[in-house]
Amino acid sequence: MSNYEDILYVVEDSAAIITINRPERYNAFRAKTVDELIKAFRSAWADREVRSIILTGAGEKAFCTGGDVKQRAETGDYGPSESGMFEIGYLHKLIRDVPKPVIAAVNGVAVGGGHVLHVLCDVSIAADSARFGQAGPRVGSFDAGFGSAYLARVVGEKKAREIWFWCRQYSADEALAMGLVNKVVPGADLLTEAKAWAAEINEKSPTAIKFLKQSFNADTDHQAGFSNMAMTALDLFAVSDEGMEGAKAFAEKRQPDFNSKVTWH
């Protein structure tokens, strides 16, 4: 598993540990990162010894801050990929479909697309220093699929709208209170706690867990259609004047001027 550049992948006991390894970019993902995450999740799916998957970020500052906005400002996209496509939508589906529990170990900031990743995991364990929130409308982006519709199932409609519309950040304790995470632990204990949860799963029937995960997913699988449509819309919006203004403003560390870029109301 040494052929990864943007992630780390190891198997310890019954758990596959996938670490987004771009701390210099606050673990933001580019297209290559997404390709490698997909490869790692598929490897964990195929490995009969793996009973659960832990997803985390390198360092202490960030779990994941979503798509690499600096890359988008520089090139207008998220860089090259193996297929020629930015396959974040497939990664979302894969996290849901892999028939093994996915545990998010949120070690720092989880915002934007990184927030969506932890929401899609089966359970989330947070370091007490972790922070959560959305940034899409602030940087000219959105997730009108699983990232919003499924979030509303997790925290309720009112809170989900607050999270997306106002782009505020929330502490680990606030996330626990709204049901966004399952447990909060000291940062030094985070991976140990995640591994303990993984070890517990190893004692359970894997077929029963598989059926249960598929049953839980069945109630919201129709959201995949919205997610596909949202990704198509985002592809169009991202290269518009309004969408690029958000990325450029972020890269230039200034307030965006969306009003001058809007072409319709």
Side-chain angles (χ1 to χ4, degrees):
M1 300 298 179
S2 60
N3 56 335
Y4 292 114
E5 181 181 343
D6 287 8
I7 71 167
L8 303 173
Y9 180 88
V10 297
V11 176
E12 293 186 14
D13 299 323
S14 61
I17 304 173
I18 302 172
T19 306
I20 303 172
N21 190 31
R22 304 187 77 217
E24 75 285 354
R25 291 285 180 108
Y26 290 87
N27 294 324
F29 51 74
R30 54 182 175 170
K32 182 180 183 66
T33 319
V34 173
D35 282 350
E36 293 185 357
L37 286 168
I38 289 170
K39 183 178 179 181
F41 271 96
R42 289 175 64 86
S43 294
W45 186 332
D47 189 339
R48 296 179 64 87
E49 299 302 314
V50 170
R51 300 286 296 277
S52 60
I53 302 164
I54 298 170
L55 178 63
T56 191
E60 299 178 354
K61 293 183 177 179
F63 169 75
C64 178
T65 53
D68 192 333
V69 180
K70 288 185 178 179
Q71 167 91 39
R72 185 158 70 90
E74 292 165 3
T75 65
D77 58 21
Y78 290 109
S81 69
E82 290 184 9
S83 67
M85 298 184 292
F86 182 49
E87 302 215 51
I88 189 64
Y90 179 69
L91 176 61
H92 290 174
K93 188 174 187 300
L94 185 55
I95 291 172
R96 286 172 56 86
D97 286 351
V98 61
K100 304 172 182 184
V102 182
I103 303 164
V106 184
N107 53 301
V109 175
V111 299
H115 189 262
V116 174
L117 290 182
H118 107 82
V119 167
L120 288 173
C121 291
D122 294 292
V123 297
S124 295
I125 304 168
D128 52 9
S129 59
R131 296 193 66 80
F132 301 83
Q134 267 307 330
R138 182 178 290 137
V139 297
S141 184
F142 58 84
D143 185 333
F146 283 124
S148 51
Y150 182 65
L151 177 65
R153 293 293 185 96
V154 175
V155 300
E157 285 276 353
K158 293 284 188 179
K159 201 66 181 180
R161 290 169 192 248
E162 175 190 318
I163 289 169
W164 269 102
F165 292 172
W166 276 269
C167 299
R168 294 168 178 160
Q169 288 194 13
Y170 305 85
S171 70
D173 286 339
E174 289 173 319
L176 182 63
M178 72 175 86
L180 189 59
V181 302
N182 299 81
K183 189 171 184 179
V184 177
V185 298
D189 299 335
L190 178 64
L191 206 52
T192 299
E193 183 70 21
K195 290 177 181 178
W197 282 52
E200 279 193 67
I201 284 292
N202 196 33
E203 301 170 357
K204 310 300 189 296
S205 162
T207 302
I209 295 293
K210 177 179 179 179
F211 272 110
L212 285 166
K213 181 163 180 174
Q214 291 173 344
S215 177
F216 284 125
N217 286 348
D219 185 49
T220 52
D221 265 353
H222 66 280
Q223 293 174 354
F226 295 117
S227 191
N228 291 338
M229 185 169 60
M231 291 300 173
T232 300
L234 184 57
D235 286 343
L236 297 173
F237 175 70
V239 296
S240 70
D241 289 343
E242 185 181 350
M244 287 305 299
E245 169 63 12
K248 290 176 181 177
F250 179 86
E252 295 167 6
K253 298 181 178 179
R254 61 173 174 81
Q255 282 290 111
D257 178 16
F258 290 121
N259 288 336
S260 66
K261 307 296 182 180
V262 176
T263 55
W264 52 268
H265 295 276

